[in-house]
Amino acid sequence: MKYSIYNVNHELLITDHLPLSGDKDIFFYEPFDWNKIISLFNEKSIVLITKKPEVAFNEFQSNYEPIEASGCLIVNEQQQWLMIYRLGYWDLPKGKIDEGESPLQTAVREIKEECNITINPDDCTFFEHTYHVYNLNNKPILKRTHWYLCNYREQYTLLIPQIEENIEKVEWVSREQWKKRKQLSYPSIVQVVEKFLSYKSK
C-alpha cells in the first residue's frame, strides 16, 4: 500500500517498501516528526517508510483541513481523452463537491459546466484518488479528488470551455500529443493519465 501526496511539483510518498527509483530528496523512517516533514515538504520530495502506511497517512492528514473534489477522465471511441487548458496547465475537468452531491454527481456536473459534455453516470466507474496540499486563507488544505473513468460515445459535440473559470481550451488528446503536454500538467493529473495509459496497455 502507498499514498502519494503532491505539493506543487514535490511528492510525499508514504509506503511500506523502499521505492526502486531514486528520484526523492529525503527518506524518513518511523517514528515520524510531522512538523519537520511538513516543513520540508514545501521544498523537497520525501519518502516515508512505514509498516502501516494507512496509519501514517491518517496522522499526516490530521495536520490539514480536508476538502473533497471530484473529476473525470473522459475517453472517446478513438481512445483520446478530454483535457482542459487553464492558467498555463493541461488539466482534467474537476471541481469541489457541493453539499448533498455524491462524488460521481459532482464529476458529471463539472464536465457539463467546464466542457459542455453530457456524460451518462452509468458509463463511469471509479478509477483513482489523488491528494495534494496547498494553503487557502492561511489554512493548510489537503484536497482529495475522486477520479472516474468515463466512456463517451457521441461523435459530434461542440466543446465549449468555461471562460469564467479561466479555461481557455477544451481538446481531445491522443497518446502522441500527451508526450508534449505531460510537461505542462500537474503531477496528480500525470498520475491519473499514466495509470490509464498503463491500464490500456495491458
Side-chain angles (χ1 to χ4, degrees):
M1 178 182 291
K2 67 177 183 179
Y3 295 88
S4 290
I5 306 101
Y6 298 99
N7 181 358
V8 191
N9 290 318
H10 300 301
E11 179 186 8
L12 174 68
L13 176 63
I14 302 174
T15 180
D16 54 6
H17 67 278
L18 192 65
L20 295 178
S21 64
D23 59 349
K24 301 298 184 292
D25 299 314
I26 304 174
F27 289 77
F28 284 95
Y29 295 84
E30 296 177 288
F32 299 127
D33 182 339
W34 291 112
N35 289 331
K36 182 177 182 180
I37 289 168
I38 290 170
S39 177
L40 287 170
F41 187 29
N42 292 324
E43 302 175 356
K44 303 287 185 179
S45 290
I46 299 171
V47 176
L48 307 184
I49 308 296
T50 172
K51 294 180 179 179
K52 299 179 178 180
E54 187 173 0
V55 172
F57 176 73
N58 289 335
E59 291 176 355
F60 170 80
Q61 69 176 348
S62 69
N63 294 277
Y64 295 84
E65 182 175 319
I67 287 181
E68 299 284 322
S70 189
C72 280
L73 195 156
I74 309 154
V75 183
N76 65 18
E77 293 183 340
Q78 290 72 45
Q79 295 303 298
Q80 301 167 317
W81 60 96
L82 200 65
M83 299 199 77
I84 61 176
Y85 185 71
R86 172 167 47 193
L87 302 176
Y89 285 87
W90 286 99
D91 204 345
L92 296 172
K94 65 183 184 302
K96 185 179 177 182
I97 297 175
D98 288 342
E99 186 175 353
E101 281 186 329
S102 70
L104 180 54
Q105 288 172 330
T106 298
V108 171
R109 173 178 58 77
E110 289 290 340
I111 295 164
K112 181 62 176 178
E113 292 175 355
E114 296 188 351
C115 307
N116 193 45
I117 288 283
T118 300
I119 289 290
N120 184 343
D122 292 338
D123 291 329
C124 300
T125 55
F126 176 76
F127 187 62
E128 176 84 309
H129 281 128
T130 60
Y131 302 89
H132 72 274
V133 299
Y134 59 97
N135 285 316
L136 180 65
N137 299 323
N138 294 319
K139 289 183 178 180
I141 303 295
L142 173 63
K143 179 180 282 187
R144 178 174 72 162
T145 303
H146 307 253
W147 290 103
Y148 291 85
L149 182 62
C150 300
N151 295 317
Y152 188 68
R153 298 179 175 84
E154 299 293 331
Q155 295 296 321
Y156 304 104
T157 298
L158 180 62
L159 303 176
I160 303 176
Q162 191 179 17
I163 301 299
E164 57 269 30
E165 289 293 327
N166 299 309
I167 301 174
E168 301 174 41
K169 304 175 187 176
V170 180
E171 296 181 4
W172 293 105
V173 176
S174 67
R175 285 175 178 257
E176 193 62 31
Q177 291 170 320
W178 172 243
K179 292 177 183 179
K180 294 182 179 179
R181 298 185 185 189
K182 180 178 178 179
Q183 308 304 317
L184 291 174
S185 191
Y186 299 103
S188 57
I189 300 302
V190 173
Q191 176 182 321
V192 173
V193 174
E194 290 296 315
K195 180 177 179 179
F196 163 71
L197 292 176
S198 174
Y199 171 78
K200 295 304 291 185
S201 297
K202 293 179 180 180

